[in-house]
Amino acid sequence: MDLLEHQGKELFRRHGLAVSEGAVANNVEEAVAAGRQLGYPVVVKAQVLTGGRGKAGGVKLAGNEQELRDHAARILGLEIRGHRVKKLWIERASEIASEYYAAVLLDRSARAPLVMFSSEGGVEIEEVARRHPEKLARRHINYLAGLGEEEAVQIARAGQAAEDVIDGVAKALCSLYEVFCEEDATLAEINPLIVTPEREVRALDAKVTLDDNARFRHPDHEAYANLDLIDPLERRAKEEGVQYVQLDGDIGILGNGAGLVMSTLDVVAQAGGRPANFLDAGGGANAEKIRQATELILSNPAVKAVLFNIFGGITRCDEVAKGLIEAFSALNPTLPFVVRLDGTNAEEGRRLLAEANLPGVHPASGMEEAAKLVVALAGGQEVKG
Ligand code: GDP
Ligand code: MN
């Protein structure tokens, strides 16, 4: 579960990490009330479940009430990377002497938490890693021993923090590590972690992902669910009992079983395509579920071509074919579909599809062939057959 900036900052504050005073606002009037209470200048910040808000115009400084009104009204109308802004965070503006970067994340391959710190912050960390690798400290932490002050100081030094704030940075890293462990996060990132002219170290942004598997341990986290902000398609999928994750490409993907869907994403990417979604119809999906799933894929306007990759086990390919045929008669899609059916009742499924002779449906026999075909079709290429 991803948190909004202000929710992440609330957790930071609880664990002793310095953050600025602020308030949530759902409309311009609430923003103005917050401004009056905080005192100017303030920063008006879009609360959306995506980064890069600054570049998209979702973070603005306001020196007085009129500016606050203007910014709040404009930002509330924005769409940032597909996320409509419905909520603002108004925060007392900080003066910035330096922008650093700090993060704790779960490094699954190392099976350990990874602490990262750099004195080059405020830009994307991938860019820091490329341009200033010498200023990026990375250190795995022994989960049982935890992160001690001494080790945190070493990390701050390695990332080249200014000498007079080494202790402040180390303390911030320890607090961030505490957030990561005690709140069961998989990611806790601060970019930028600033140094003020008074040499105070403070988190100006917060990106926190909580581990859903640990939710039962944190009844207080329920309040962070952000149901109103979750992608409406993802929410609908949840209601219908299929696994759906929106991605930003243009090839709609449907498979049965998470493993098969993931490898389908890989094969499509290898063929040069960009998946638009992850959709797992699950084991034993019947025609009705396949029809719903197809509808779900087609309601994403970015989709240019669709790939069905079914390996029938409990799921029967004839049911999948029936679902697809039903979806076609209900929705009359004009997009090309590539359909690979294999496993239980595959013959029967293929026969049903051949008989139905649906417009724009291309059978494929293997996964790679299917991927290449759908990538070509999404790119608008003519395909015979
Ligand atoms: P992001 O673009 O989504 O990562 O949003 P951030 O919260 O990181 O804000 C983007 C940028 O706005 C930061 O890197 C800062 O440079 C700037 N910014 C945010 N808050 C303040 C503030 O209180 N004072 C000043 N001077 N700049 C700020
Ligand atoms: Mn940021």
Side-chain angles (χ1 to χ4, degrees):
M1 167 164 87
D2 294 331
L3 301 194
L4 294 170
E5 173 195 5
H6 78 90
Q7 298 169 329
K9 283 180 170 173
E10 189 178 303
L11 292 183
F12 287 0
R13 186 194 296 270
R14 271 195 224 163
H15 291 272
L17 229 166
V19 292
S20 305
E21 280 301 314
V24 172
N26 295 294
N27 53 51
V28 175
E29 291 315 315
E30 288 180 16
V32 168
R36 282 190 191 145
Q37 197 162 32
L38 295 165
Y40 292 93
V42 295
V43 191
V44 186
K45 309 186 79 173
Q47 297 299 288
V48 280
L49 295 169
T50 182
R53 296 164 301 159
K55 274 188 200 151
V59 178
K60 295 281 183 197
L61 208 66
N64 56 51
E65 193 164 305
Q66 191 50 52
E67 285 178 17
L68 173 57
R69 274 183 190 284
D70 293 348
H71 291 320
R74 199 161 309 138
I75 294 174
L76 279 168
L78 277 182
E79 189 177 292
I80 301 177
R81 296 193 195 171
H83 296 256
R84 176 76 52 197
V85 182
K86 294 181 182 165
K87 211 172 269 191
L88 301 173
W89 172 245
I90 313 295
E91 147 174 316
R92 191 171 291 147
S94 303
E95 280 187 73
I96 302 178
S98 316
E99 295 190 314
Y100 293 171
Y101 172 93
V104 183
L105 54 118
L106 180 63
D107 184 348
R108 291 176 201 274
S109 57
R111 299 179 189 178
L114 173 66
V115 174
M116 298 207 281
F117 170 74
S118 175
S119 52
E120 288 285 326
V123 293
E124 281 183 26
I125 195 59
E126 290 79 8
E127 195 179 321
V128 176
R130 217 167 33 237
R131 287 216 229 153
H132 301 282
E134 78 287 355
K135 288 191 190 171
L136 176 60
R138 293 164 48 94
R139 189 181 293 225
H140 288 106
I141 306 300
N142 179 321
Y143 197 80
L144 296 176
L147 174 63
E149 193 122 346
E150 214 170 297
E151 193 173 15
V153 165
Q154 287 168 7
I155 298 171
R157 285 234 156 79
Q160 300 186 15
E163 193 55 39
D164 66 322
V165 292
I166 293 279
D167 285 342
V169 168
K171 198 172 152 281
L173 291 176
C174 289
S175 297
L176 190 63
Y177 187 77
E178 192 183 294
V179 169
F180 177 85
C181 293
E182 292 185 9
E183 304 290 343
D184 281 308
T186 53
L187 170 72
E189 182 186 63
I190 310 173
N191 192 18
L193 177 71
I194 62 160
V195 182
T196 67
E198 296 77 35
R199 313 307 283 167
E200 190 207 344
V201 177
R202 187 188 306 163
L204 219 61
D205 194 3
K207 185 174 178 191
V208 175
T209 304
L210 299 175
D211 184 348
D212 287 330
N213 295 314
R215 233 162 132 170
F216 69 95
R217 280 204 286 249
H218 303 279
D220 58 315
H221 288 176
E222 290 305 319
Y224 296 148
N226 295 317
L227 288 176
D228 50 331
L229 302 182
I230 291 174
D231 186 280
L233 284 181
E234 290 184 17
R235 210 169 58 206
R236 209 170 103 198
K238 223 170 248 169
E239 286 160 10
E240 285 168 9
V242 293
Q243 279 273 5
Y244 181 93
V245 179
Q246 181 94 16
L247 304 170
D248 56 10
D250 55 10
I251 298 177
I253 308 266
L254 177 141
N256 61 316
L260 181 67
V261 180
M262 273 190 256
S263 21
T264 309
L265 299 184
D266 282 348
V267 177
V268 165
Q270 265 163 20
R274 292 171 57 244
N277 68 277
F278 172 112
L279 198 161
D280 175 9
N286 57 13
E288 170 63 7
K289 195 160 260 182
I290 296 294
R291 187 189 57 75
Q292 284 172 339
T294 310
E295 266 187 55
L296 214 55
I297 291 180
L298 292 175
S299 48
N300 175 356
V303 170
K304 294 209 189 101
V306 181
L307 172 57
F308 268 41
N309 189 14
I310 302 292
F311 193 87
I314 316 171
T315 305
R316 289 164 35 196
C317 291
D318 56 322
E319 282 290 317
V320 174
K322 280 182 199 155
L324 187 60
I325 292 165
E326 280 175 23
F328 262 73
S329 70
L331 304 166
N332 291 313
T334 51
L335 300 177
F337 275 66
V338 175
V339 181
R340 179 235 176 179
L341 298 177
D342 212 337
T344 310
N345 294 3
E347 293 273 309
E348 174 67 4
R350 286 190 218 122
R351 192 184 62 75
L352 286 171
L353 280 185
E355 269 174 15
N357 195 23
L358 306 173
V361 171
H362 306 259
S365 51
M367 192 146 138
E368 256 172 78
E369 177 198 329
K372 281 184 190 147
L373 188 55
V374 79
V375 170
L377 289 164
Q381 289 179 32
E382 287 279 325
V383 176
K384 277 183 243 138

PDB file of all heavy atoms in Angstrom, residues 249-261:
ATOM      1  N   GLY A 249       1.766   1.159 -20.546  1.00  0.00           N
ATOM      2  CA  GLY A 249       1.954   0.876 -21.967  1.00  0.00           C
ATOM      3  C   GLY A 249       0.650   0.804 -22.738  1.00  0.00           C
ATOM      4  O   GLY A 249      -0.367   1.324 -22.294  1.00  0.00           O
ATOM      5  N   ASP A 250       0.683   0.141 -23.907  1.00  0.00           N
ATOM      6  CA  ASP A 250      -0.506   0.125 -24.758  1.00  0.00           C
ATOM      7  C   ASP A 250      -0.949  -1.283 -25.177  1.00  0.00           C
ATOM      8  O   ASP A 250      -1.798  -1.428 -26.049  1.00  0.00           O
ATOM      9  CB  ASP A 250      -0.274   1.003 -26.001  1.00  0.00           C
ATOM     10  CG  ASP A 250       0.966   0.595 -26.774  1.00  0.00           C
ATOM     11  OD1 ASP A 250       1.531  -0.473 -26.471  1.00  0.00           O
ATOM     12  OD2 ASP A 250       1.367   1.345 -27.682  1.00  0.00           O
ATOM     13  N   ILE A 251      -0.355  -2.316 -24.568  1.00  0.00           N
ATOM     14  CA  ILE A 251      -0.777  -3.673 -24.893  1.00  0.00           C
ATOM     15  C   ILE A 251      -1.501  -4.294 -23.695  1.00  0.00           C
ATOM     16  O   ILE A 251      -0.918  -4.491 -22.634  1.00  0.00           O
ATOM     17  CB  ILE A 251       0.430  -4.542 -25.309  1.00  0.00           C
ATOM     18  CG1 ILE A 251       1.060  -3.956 -26.574  1.00  0.00           C
ATOM     19  CG2 ILE A 251      -0.008  -6.000 -25.530  1.00  0.00           C
ATOM     20  CD1 ILE A 251       2.302  -4.677 -27.030  1.00  0.00           C
ATOM     21  N   GLY A 252      -2.793  -4.561 -23.883  1.00  0.00           N
ATOM     22  CA  GLY A 252      -3.590  -5.163 -22.816  1.00  0.00           C
ATOM     23  C   GLY A 252      -3.224  -6.633 -22.670  1.00  0.00           C
ATOM     24  O   GLY A 252      -3.084  -7.337 -23.664  1.00  0.00           O
ATOM     25  N   ILE A 253      -3.041  -7.083 -21.447  1.00  0.00           N
ATOM     26  CA  ILE A 253      -2.607  -8.459 -21.205  1.00  0.00           C
ATOM     27  C   ILE A 253      -3.610  -9.174 -20.312  1.00  0.00           C
ATOM     28  O   ILE A 253      -4.021  -8.635 -19.292  1.00  0.00           O
ATOM     29  CB  ILE A 253      -1.254  -8.470 -20.451  1.00  0.00           C
ATOM     30  CG1 ILE A 253      -0.229  -7.604 -21.156  1.00  0.00           C
ATOM     31  CG2 ILE A 253      -0.788  -9.901 -20.190  1.00  0.00           C
ATOM     32  CD1 ILE A 253       0.652  -8.309 -22.107  1.00  0.00           C
ATOM     33  N   LEU A 254      -3.973 -10.381 -20.717  1.00  0.00           N
ATOM     34  CA  LEU A 254      -4.767 -11.222 -19.829  1.00  0.00           C
ATOM     35  C   LEU A 254      -4.171 -12.615 -19.807  1.00  0.00           C
ATOM     36  O   LEU A 254      -3.839 -13.183 -20.849  1.00  0.00           O
ATOM     37  CB  LEU A 254      -6.221 -11.294 -20.295  1.00  0.00           C
ATOM     38  CG  LEU A 254      -7.115 -12.220 -19.440  1.00  0.00           C
ATOM     39  CD1 LEU A 254      -8.487 -11.611 -19.245  1.00  0.00           C
ATOM     40  CD2 LEU A 254      -7.248 -13.609 -20.048  1.00  0.00           C
ATOM     41  N   GLY A 255      -4.005 -13.135 -18.619  1.00  0.00           N
ATOM     42  CA  GLY A 255      -3.517 -14.500 -18.483  1.00  0.00           C
ATOM     43  C   GLY A 255      -4.208 -15.151 -17.301  1.00  0.00           C
ATOM     44  O   GLY A 255      -4.974 -14.500 -16.585  1.00  0.00           O
ATOM     45  N   ASN A 256      -3.943 -16.421 -17.090  1.00  0.00           N
ATOM     46  CA  ASN A 256      -4.477 -17.077 -15.894  1.00  0.00           C
ATOM     47  C   ASN A 256      -3.312 -17.568 -15.048  1.00  0.00           C
ATOM     48  O   ASN A 256      -2.488 -18.346 -15.492  1.00  0.00           O
ATOM     49  CB  ASN A 256      -5.425 -18.216 -16.271  1.00  0.00           C
ATOM     50  CG  ASN A 256      -4.738 -19.306 -17.075  1.00  0.00           C
ATOM     51  OD1 ASN A 256      -3.972 -19.009 -17.988  1.00  0.00           O
ATOM     52  ND2 ASN A 256      -4.993 -20.545 -16.740  1.00  0.00           N
ATOM     53  N   GLY A 257      -3.252 -17.042 -13.845  1.00  0.00           N
ATOM     54  CA  GLY A 257      -2.144 -17.361 -12.949  1.00  0.00           C
ATOM     55  C   GLY A 257      -1.114 -16.238 -12.976  1.00  0.00           C
ATOM     56  O   GLY A 257      -0.715 -15.770 -14.041  1.00  0.00           O
ATOM     57  N   ALA A 258      -0.698 -15.796 -11.780  1.00  0.00           N
ATOM     58  CA  ALA A 258       0.215 -14.646 -11.684  1.00  0.00           C
ATOM     59  C   ALA A 258       1.534 -14.928 -12.386  1.00  0.00           C
ATOM     60  O   ALA A 258       2.102 -14.054 -13.048  1.00  0.00           O
ATOM     61  CB  ALA A 258       0.458 -14.297 -10.220  1.00  0.00           C
ATOM     62  N   GLY A 259       2.036 -16.169 -12.280  1.00  0.00           N
ATOM     63  CA  GLY A 259       3.325 -16.498 -12.890  1.00  0.00           C
ATOM     64  C   GLY A 259       3.261 -16.355 -14.393  1.00  0.00           C
ATOM     65  O   GLY A 259       4.141 -15.756 -15.019  1.00  0.00           O
ATOM     66  N   LEU A 260       2.184 -16.890 -14.976  1.00  0.00           N
ATOM     67  CA  LEU A 260       2.035 -16.812 -16.425  1.00  0.00           C
ATOM     68  C   LEU A 260       1.888 -15.358 -16.880  1.00  0.00           C
ATOM     69  O   LEU A 260       2.485 -14.949 -17.875  1.00  0.00           O
ATOM     70  CB  LEU A 260       0.814 -17.627 -16.881  1.00  0.00           C
ATOM     71  CG  LEU A 260       0.574 -17.628 -18.388  1.00  0.00           C
ATOM     72  CD1 LEU A 260       1.688 -18.373 -19.108  1.00  0.00           C
ATOM     73  CD2 LEU A 260      -0.775 -18.238 -18.734  1.00  0.00           C
ATOM     74  N   VAL A 261       1.134 -14.575 -16.127  1.00  0.00           N
ATOM     75  CA  VAL A 261       0.951 -13.170 -16.514  1.00  0.00           C
ATOM     76  C   VAL A 261       2.285 -12.443 -16.455  1.00  0.00           C
ATOM     77  O   VAL A 261       2.645 -11.694 -17.366  1.00  0.00           O
ATOM     78  CB  VAL A 261      -0.087 -12.459 -15.619  1.00  0.00           C
ATOM     79  CG1 VAL A 261      -0.246 -11.005 -16.040  1.00  0.00           C
ATOM     80  CG2 VAL A 261      -1.429 -13.171 -15.688  1.00  0.00           C
TER      81      VAL A 261
END
